[in-house]
Amino acid sequence: MTGSAGGAVPQVRALICPNCGGTVNLRGYAQTLNAVCGNCNTILDTRTPTVTILQTFQTKQRIQPLIPLGSRGKLDGAEYEVIGFQARETASDGITYQWREYLLYNPYRGYRYLTEYDGHWNDAKTIPMLPEFGKSGRKEAASVNGKLFTHFQTAEAQTVYVLGEFPWQVRVGEKVTAKDYINPPEMLSAEITEGEVVWTVAEYTDGKALWSGFKLAGQPPQPQGIYANQPSPSKGRIASVWGMFFKLTVLLFAVMLVLLAIERNEVVFQQNYTFTSHAQGEPSFVTPVFELKGRTAAVQVKIDTDLDNNWAHFNFALINEETGNAYDFGREVSYYAGRDSDGSWTEGSRSGSVTIPGVPAGRYYLRVEPEMDENSPSMRYASQAMSYTLSVKHGAPNMIWFVIAFFLLLIPPIVVTARTIGFENKRWAESDYGSPLASLSSGGNDD
Amino acid sequence: MSQPAANCPNCGAPIQFRWSSGVQTTCEYCKSILVRTDVDLKKVGEVADLPLDASPIQIGTEGAYNNKPFTVIGRIIYEYDQGNWNEWHIVFSDGASGWLSDAQLEYAISFLAPQKAPPKETVYRGSSLTFDKQYQVTSITKAHYAGVQGELPFEYWDKADVTFADMRTSTADFGTIDYSEEPGLLFLGRVVEYDDLKLKNVRQFEGWS
């Protein structure tokens, strides 16, 4: 070791506990101000030439740090050693929550913390700047380096157990106000005491990565529930999944336009007819044969009538002359109009169409069976007949497939969005703001 | 800028100032605090044993700030109820002088600023002070002088209690007012990361690199 004009070369020290005579190893050199004798739960002042007792505390049970004191591992590319440990508690609605904080030390780079709650780990460092305060929606917010953190909760935290050593004063029973702001996977926290406010930024950290980094045996505890700054597994995907939906919809629309342009959409048959409801004989008839050419495509049968305040129903069969294959379908057309206090109105349409997808080429004819309301006023007193035009188009693209495809495309973005909302609801249920549902119902009770 | 060697008026050991503007230094052999006068060196006091400390910085440590190399040539040590901290006196290759503070391994570099510090009674934790930027006072610390070492730009020894007002901005600027005299001395600078200082000739810690 090189000598130093600063006096003693830093060496790992050991103290004898004045309370129980046990040995207390110091890993933090002369930086250490308080050290705990784990043997008799005594906090010692390591700065005084004769080690003095600062506090002897009672504890219900000794808490074993999951990462033992003295463990070393790399964080941000530098090695750190666990030198201190404390358990803290906060009470909310009669329930006590406890989390554990590990103090890490590097003799050049200083201190940082690992915190653990219910298997969720965070890697925290103090920040050199002061946050700026603002709002995020209706919640209080703080920004650091232009990054906005939304207030999550404020709680009073009490130290219930300490182990190891600290470069500042620690006592069991000591209380601080802890304010947490989140921007997952990061969390900004203020630890407020009478004399100062310490700001840290923590990053949500995978327990498994810590276990391998600190070369620990076994497995880290399985995380329970959702932690305040735990990144949502689907959040980053919302934008991409909606972006993909938008691209695919544009593509679908383009395909639709191309199909509309290239399909033949040819009128293969058109004829005017008159239907009289009280006429004698069978109302059904067949059309002349028409030819559907080219490849299998949709057939559109269109009806244009002169209905007035009446309805008509058409039963159709599109029959292949050669094979006898028939497509049966029906269509109702109704049109009503009038005047009332609000002015004139109309309902329905004089026209209608039916599209039959996937009709192979061949020679076809239509069997048509019209039917009308014989008791309607128009039938009894006015015109006795309905004129109509039937037209048959071949190659008419069937829009229903595009509509179905559109709704299928909507499924992934909706599922991802719903999952994200569910995750965020669970996250915020643990905050000072409760879940959105809880706040709705409590708002309702206030009325 | 090499200075003619003088001898310690107490023990006769050779004394050489590394920095032409140095006002005070300590004799490495007899721990005398020496102040430069027009003609010679005058012993003004004696350094008691320095408190144990584990700063990685020592006299002779070299580093860089804003790409300007500096050398550590002296320090003042303060003690307060949460331990102690070092104000390392650094000089740059162009002769400029500044301070590298190491408080529990949180580092900041600052320079004596021309602005006038507000009176001590008007400054409290949370005060907003505007100099080159808007600062907020984050702590008022009552410390006492615990020792000096090496070369300093002024006479500074055997002080009693000193009040410090530390300040920060939202962009990691750092400021401190030293109320050891009235009006206080204002220092402004930045909080720095250890790795950004690119320090050489630091202290060694067994088992650490």
Side-chain angles (χ1 to χ4, degrees):
Chain A
M1 287 194 289
T2 53
S4 149
V9 165
Q11 281 172 332
V12 175
R13 288 194 295 160
L15 302 175
I16 303 300
C17 172
N19 191 44
C20 71
T23 304
V24 181
N25 285 312
L26 295 185
R27 301 177 171 89
Y29 302 103
Q31 303 283 1
T32 292
L33 194 62
N34 287 181
V36 182
C37 173
N39 191 38
C40 65
N41 288 338
T42 299
I43 301 174
L44 306 168
D45 184 344
T46 60
R47 287 294 175 98
T48 48
T50 50
V51 175
T52 53
I53 295 173
L54 295 168
Q55 185 187 39
T56 296
F57 59 88
Q58 302 297 315
T59 180
K60 278 170 268 177
Q61 60 179 84
R62 280 161 196 252
I63 302 168
Q64 201 65 42
L66 293 170
I67 306 178
L69 295 179
S71 303
R72 284 193 189 185
K74 277 199 169 176
L75 292 166
D76 284 351
E79 191 168 43
Y80 285 86
E81 183 168 331
V82 178
I83 65 163
F85 172 79
Q86 66 176 322
R88 284 174 149 179
E89 283 181 359
T90 184
S92 170
D93 296 335
I95 305 166
T96 301
Y97 301 91
Q98 189 199 82
W99 68 95
R100 274 75 48 192
E101 297 181 359
Y102 297 76
L103 177 67
L104 274 59
Y105 168 73
N106 171 298
Y108 302 98
R109 292 167 185 83
Y111 301 89
R112 66 200 290 158
Y113 311 83
L114 288 174
T115 67
E116 181 267 325
Y117 174 78
D118 258 0
H120 298 279
W121 293 87
N122 266 289
D123 175 10
K125 273 188 86 171
T126 57
I127 53 167
M129 68 288 282
L130 292 174
E132 292 177 302
F133 297 94
K135 287 266 168 190
S136 168
R138 287 156 67 186
K139 298 186 186 88
E140 190 195 318
S143 71
V144 172
N145 266 347
K147 198 172 204 175
L148 193 70
F149 294 79
T150 307
H151 179 249
F152 190 78
Q153 66 178 4
T154 300
E156 189 174 69
Q158 186 174 19
T159 301
V160 295
Y161 186 73
V162 288
L163 209 56
E165 59 197 273
F166 298 85
W168 44 76
Q169 302 285 348
V170 288
R171 300 288 185 278
V172 166
E174 190 174 54
K175 287 178 181 172
V176 298
T177 300
K179 262 184 133 170
D180 294 333
Y181 301 77
I182 60 164
N183 183 341
E186 289 183 302
M187 175 151 74
L188 170 72
S189 300
E191 205 177 287
I192 304 159
T193 53
E194 211 174 294
E196 63 176 345
V197 180
V198 177
W199 289 96
T200 56
V201 167
E203 185 167 7
Y204 191 85
T205 301
D206 179 27
K208 289 196 186 79
L210 290 176
W211 252 240
S212 71
F214 281 79
K215 297 174 201 71
L216 301 174
Q219 293 287 318
Q222 190 66 33
Q224 303 297 311
I226 291 168
Y227 194 64
N229 63 331
Q230 182 176 353
S232 166
S234 54
K235 189 180 179 190
R237 288 169 54 211
I238 283 195
S240 70
V241 82
W242 280 105
M244 182 59 80
F245 164 76
F246 180 74
K247 280 182 208 154
L248 288 175
T249 302
V250 167
L251 188 67
L252 184 71
F253 194 69
V255 167
M256 195 175 84
L257 288 180
V258 167
L259 281 182
L260 276 174
I262 65 164
E263 286 287 357
R264 302 165 67 93
N265 213 9
E266 171 190 18
V267 178
V268 291
F269 172 80
Q270 186 162 15
Q271 186 77 54
N272 298 325
Y273 297 97
T274 313
F275 173 68
T276 311
S277 60
H278 300 291
Q280 298 293 311
E282 177 61 39
S284 69
F285 63 94
V286 297
T287 66
V289 170
F290 47 86
E291 185 156 15
L292 302 182
K293 293 177 193 147
R295 55 194 181 84
T296 298
V299 166
Q300 187 196 57
V301 176
K302 192 158 186 278
I303 315 151
D304 293 295
T305 72
D306 63 351
L307 283 173
D308 187 18
N309 282 309
N310 204 348
W311 60 264
H313 187 86
F314 295 85
N315 279 314
F316 292 108
L318 177 66
I319 300 158
N320 185 311
E321 188 194 38
E322 289 127 31
T323 64
N325 270 351
Y327 300 87
D328 291 312
F329 51 96
R331 183 71 163 94
E332 189 175 287
V333 182
S334 66
Y335 179 78
Y336 296 90
R339 286 190 73 83
D340 61 17
S341 55
D342 293 333
S344 59
W345 56 269
T346 66
E347 194 184 318
S349 164
R350 290 190 171 104
S351 300
S353 72
V354 183
T355 303
I356 308 124
V359 181
R363 292 173 60 77
Y364 289 84
Y365 61 92
L366 272 177
R367 193 170 62 79
V368 187
E369 187 184 352
E371 171 186 348
M372 283 179 89
D373 183 1
E374 298 183 2
N375 297 319
S376 79
S378 61
M379 275 292 159
R380 262 178 285 160
Y381 308 115
S383 125
Q384 296 290 311
M386 160 182 73
S387 293
Y388 63 97
T389 307
L390 284 182
S391 51
V392 178
K393 279 182 180 175
H394 185 221
N398 193 336
M399 294 303 159
I400 190 71
W401 299 115
F402 292 105
V403 174
I404 290 172
F406 176 80
F407 282 105
L408 287 177
L409 286 181
L410 258 178
I411 293 173
I414 285 176
V415 166
V416 169
T417 305
R419 271 200 206 141
T420 305
I421 291 169
F423 188 94
E424 293 302 321
N425 280 346
K426 275 190 203 160
R427 178 206 305 286
W428 284 99
E430 301 299 318
S431 76
D432 286 351
Y433 304 92
S435 70
L437 284 175
S439 62
L440 276 182
S441 66
S442 68
N445 291 343
D446 291 340
D447 293 337
Chain B
M1 72 178 209
S2 181
Q3 299 298 304
N7 289 327
C8 171
N10 189 50
C11 71
I15 302 291
Q16 184 151 15
F17 276 86
R18 303 189 203 201
W19 180 49
S20 58
S21 309
V23 170
Q24 174 184 306
T25 191
T26 46
C27 172
E28 282 179 46
Y29 300 92
C30 68
K31 304 259 168 75
S32 293
I33 298 172
L34 309 171
V35 169
R36 196 143 64 168
T37 68
D38 287 344
V39 284
D40 56 4
L41 291 169
K42 190 175 76 180
K43 176 177 176 178
V44 293
E46 212 159 281
V47 184
D49 280 345
L50 295 174
L52 274 180
D53 85 297
S55 175
I57 298 161
Q58 58 189 345
I59 289 188
T61 294
E62 292 171 8
Y65 178 69
N66 286 344
N67 295 318
K68 274 166 64 185
F70 64 77
T71 307
V72 175
I73 62 165
R75 72 161 153 171
I76 308 173
I77 308 167
Y78 293 100
E79 272 180 351
Y80 71 127
D81 58 354
Q82 295 284 330
N84 59 35
W85 85 88
N86 293 294
E87 295 289 351
W88 295 98
H89 181 215
I90 58 176
V91 289
F92 290 86
S93 45
D94 62 1
S97 136
W99 299 89
L100 165 57
S101 73
D102 163 17
Q104 284 154 347
L105 306 175
E106 285 186 9
Y107 306 97
I109 284 193
S110 62
F111 303 91
L112 186 64
Q115 293 94 331
K116 207 174 151 226
K120 188 165 134 186
E121 331 58 86
T122 65
V123 174
Y124 51 92
R125 186 164 74 87
S127 288
S128 184
L129 301 177
T130 306
F131 302 109
D132 54 334
K133 291 174 178 171
Q134 191 174 333
Y135 291 79
Q136 193 186 324
V137 176
T138 52
S139 65
I140 303 283
T141 309
K142 277 202 167 54
H144 59 269
Y145 158 91
V148 288
Q149 191 188 3
E151 292 174 37
L152 298 179
F154 38 62
E155 262 191 67
Y156 206 88
W157 54 281
D158 211 15
K159 296 271 183 182
D161 287 351
V162 184
T163 300
F164 288 90
D166 282 355
M167 302 170 275
R168 296 283 174 103
T169 67
S170 62
T171 48
D173 301 285
F174 167 85
T176 189
I177 304 171
D178 171 348
Y179 283 109
S180 64
E181 44 191 272
E182 196 66 60
L185 300 167
L186 173 69
F187 298 87
L188 297 177
R190 287 190 66 75
V191 181
V192 284
E193 291 275 333
Y194 178 82
D195 290 306
D196 295 338
L197 290 169
K198 301 186 178 67
L199 297 181
K200 285 179 291 195
N201 190 23
V202 290
R203 284 168 96 183
Q204 299 298 307
F205 296 84
E206 209 177 345
W208 290 93
S209 55

